[in-house]
């Protein structure tokens, strides 16, 4: 079945290199588990950025090259000299007494960067460390992890270090956003916590034990306006609970593929004349065959969000998840307004929500009338006062 699934995903993606999963894509996928379009695209490794541009809705912003360069430079600084600076931070934040660590770079195996080989080597190395072997090392850079997402095995290429001491592993996440006067941007910290929770979950699956990996990750960032690193522990237990719940909710990829027409294709390849083999109209038609579940939150996490927003124009989904859920069964704004005004007769299933809509409309109308009366009376009151 897995070979058949892989074949179907390759056919859907076309003869192009797959876009690899990472912690950000998995975190975004689990934040909207009902979106079959994202589930299929991510499982097939479709380049959603390129796809969005091809259908006329390019991503309008992204991480700047300056930010990427700064992040890479900061990471290199923290890891320099066998992670000497990082070890100093770990002694402080984890209250360690050790003076030396065994550093192991798992970025490749003897010059071979095959994912299967790297994962097998990472697994063997980390299991040896968990078993307490003296020669297994303590600090592990870029271990390649693997986890199941919607029934499909995906590799994670984490930009992290796993630190093992006294039989417990800690995920260390290095970010380049600053901590100023002890405070960091709440949204960036939350994003880092969600991504780190993905790594913790994957590492626990690799080691076969939740107890082997701490739910306290170590977040390393620049301090104030310098490049001097500082570290703090972040508890990601809440993020782990949400992540596992959402992973369980994701439909199996085979179920999603079975619901699609056999010929549907998101092939972004070009022919020998450097022309796209599929036109934008064909790609739009293919996307239309894969159900989406748009909400405004998608704009911050999915490259196809602007396309899906345009597609969902007039639907209650564009007003947010809470509105869509409260209006359950009323899919369009026009239908909601018609039910509220009484120009549309409700079905039996819509009776309760119709009563709510009409009560809301009445209260809003009364509030608007009161406000207009108050504004209209203002000149008279002013004259009386004079």
């Amino acid at each position: 079945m897995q070979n058949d699934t892989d074949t179907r995903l390759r056919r859907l993606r076309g003869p192009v290199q797959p876009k690899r999963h990472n912690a950000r894509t998995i975190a975004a996928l689990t934040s909207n588990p009902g979106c079959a379009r994202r589930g299929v695209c991510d499982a097939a490794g479709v380049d959603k950025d390129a796809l969005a541009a091809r259908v006329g809705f390019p991503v309008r912003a992204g991480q700047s090259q300056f930010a990427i360069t700064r992040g890479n430079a900061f990471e290199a600084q923290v890891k320099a000299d066998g992670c000497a600076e990082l070890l100093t931070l770990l002694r402080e934040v984890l209250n360690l007494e050790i003076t030396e660590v065994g550093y192991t770079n798992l970025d490749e195996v003897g010059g071979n960067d095959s994912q299967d080989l790297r994962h097998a080597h990472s697994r063997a190395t980390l299991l040896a460390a968990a078993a307490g072997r003296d020669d297994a090392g303590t600090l592990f850079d870029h271990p390649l992890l693997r986890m199941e997402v919607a029934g499909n095995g995906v590799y994670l290429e984490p930009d992290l270090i796993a630190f093992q001491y006294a039989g417990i592993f800690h995920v260390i996440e290095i970010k380049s956003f600053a901590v100023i006067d002890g405070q960091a941007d709440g949204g960036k910290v939350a994003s880092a916590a969600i991504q780190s929770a993905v790594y913790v979950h994957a590492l626990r699956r690799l080691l076969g034990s939740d107890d082997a990996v701490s739910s306290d990750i170590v977040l390393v960032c620049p301090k104030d306006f310098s490049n001097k690193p500082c570290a703090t522990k972040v508890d990601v237990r809440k993020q782990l609970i949400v992540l596992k719940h959402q992973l369980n909710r994701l439909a199996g990829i085979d179920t999603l593929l079975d619901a699609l027409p056999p010929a549907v294709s998101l092939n972004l390849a070009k022919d020998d004349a450097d022309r796209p083999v599929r036109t934008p109209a064909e790609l739009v038609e293919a996307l239309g065959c894969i159900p989406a579940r748009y909400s405004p939150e998608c704009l911050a996490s999915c490259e196809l969000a602007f396309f899906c927003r345009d597609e969902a124009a007039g639907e209650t989904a564009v007003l947010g998840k809470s509105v869509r859920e409260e209006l359950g069964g009323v899919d369009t704004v026009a239908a909601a307004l018609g039910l509220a005004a009484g120009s549309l007769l409700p079905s039996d299933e819509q009776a309760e929500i119709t009563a709510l809509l009409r009560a809301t409309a009445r209260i809003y109308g009364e509030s608007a009338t009161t406000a207009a009366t108050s504004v209209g009376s203002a000149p008279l009151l002013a004259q009386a006062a004079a």
Side-chain angles (χ1 to χ4, degrees):
M1 177 61 70
Q2 184 62 44
N3 290 335
D4 179 59
T5 300
D6 288 345
T7 299
R8 295 164 74 186
L9 291 173
R10 284 197 300 272
R11 187 185 304 124
L12 185 143
R13 182 181 67 247
V16 295
Q17 285 296 316
K19 190 84 170 181
R20 289 177 176 176
H21 258 301
N22 56 42
R24 287 186 179 89
T25 64
I26 293 176
L29 180 62
T30 57
S31 70
N32 191 6
C35 185
R37 182 174 293 168
R38 171 136 202 166
V40 169
C41 287
D42 282 352
V46 173
D47 187 339
K48 297 191 298 299
D49 196 343
L51 178 59
R54 189 73 62 84
V55 298
F57 290 87
V59 178
R60 300 178 185 178
Q63 191 175 23
S64 69
Q65 187 59 46
F66 172 78
I68 294 173
T69 301
R70 181 174 183 272
N72 291 338
F74 180 68
E75 180 187 341
Q77 174 190 334
V78 172
K79 293 181 179 180
D81 301 321
C83 298
E85 196 164 13
L86 175 61
L87 181 57
T88 300
L89 295 173
L90 292 176
R91 290 196 191 102
E92 296 172 357
V93 75
L94 297 178
N95 298 317
L96 304 180
E97 297 180 357
I98 57 174
T99 57
E100 296 181 355
V101 298
Y103 173 77
T104 305
N105 190 345
L106 297 172
D107 196 39
E108 61 179 19
V109 183
N112 190 328
D113 62 356
S114 160
Q115 286 191 321
D116 290 338
L117 184 60
R118 281 189 57 204
H119 174 66
H121 180 56
S122 295
R123 187 173 186 277
T125 303
L126 293 171
L127 285 174
R133 266 182 40 186
D134 293 337
D135 61 342
T138 308
L139 200 58
F140 306 94
D141 195 356
H142 285 92
L144 189 65
L145 310 177
R146 189 178 187 275
M147 62 186 290
E148 294 290 319
V149 180
N152 192 37
V154 298
Y155 287 109
L156 294 179
E157 188 100 30
D159 184 20
L160 64 83
I161 292 176
F163 177 74
Q164 185 272 142
Y165 179 68
I168 303 295
F169 285 82
H170 286 82
V171 166
I172 301 169
E173 183 74 3
I174 302 173
K175 293 293 185 182
S176 61
F177 60 81
V179 176
I180 301 174
D181 293 333
Q183 299 292 322
D185 182 283
K188 293 179 179 179
V189 173
S191 178
I194 294 172
Q195 293 171 35
S196 298
V198 174
Y199 297 140
V200 171
H201 178 78
L203 188 54
R204 285 178 171 180
R205 300 288 74 77
L206 183 147
L207 297 173
S209 170
D210 287 357
D211 295 334
V213 186
S214 174
S215 58
D216 288 332
I217 65 103
V218 179
L219 181 61
V220 180
C221 300
K223 183 178 181 180
D224 296 326
F225 297 98
S226 70
N227 268 343
K228 181 177 177 59
C230 62
T232 185
K233 288 194 295 186
V234 178
D235 187 349
V236 297
R237 282 178 296 181
K238 178 181 178 181
Q239 288 80 3
L240 282 166
I241 292 171
V242 173
L243 174 68
K244 288 189 283 189
H245 174 67
Q246 299 293 56
L247 285 173
N248 289 334
R249 288 182 59 193
L250 290 173
I253 189 60
D254 287 318
T255 302
L256 298 179
L257 292 174
D258 288 342
L260 301 181
V264 67
S265 172
L266 297 173
N267 186 359
L268 295 175
K270 296 184 178 181
D271 60 20
D272 294 339
D274 199 35
R275 294 173 301 191
V277 298
R278 293 184 67 78
T279 66
E282 289 173 329
L283 292 171
V284 168
E285 182 180 358
L287 281 170
C289 296
I290 311 174
R293 187 175 174 81
Y294 172 79
S295 70
E297 292 81 2
C298 296
L299 295 172
S301 60
C302 184
E303 297 87 340
L304 288 171
F306 291 105
F307 171 84
C308 296
R309 182 179 66 174
D310 182 76
E311 181 186 57
E315 298 180 3
T316 54
V318 299
L319 303 176
K321 292 180 180 178
S322 60
V323 173
R324 178 176 57 197
E325 291 170 0
E326 290 176 7
L327 295 180
V330 182
D331 297 329
T332 67
V333 175
L337 293 174
L339 290 171
S343 60
L344 185 66
L345 293 177
S347 64
D348 293 340
E349 293 79 11
Q350 294 173 335
E352 184 176 349
I353 189 63
T354 298
L356 175 62
L357 284 168
R358 291 178 179 173
T360 303
R362 184 177 64 255
I363 294 170
Y364 177 80
E366 292 172 353
S367 299
T369 300
T370 301
T373 302
S374 299
V375 171
S377 302
L380 296 176
L381 293 173
Q383 292 175 22

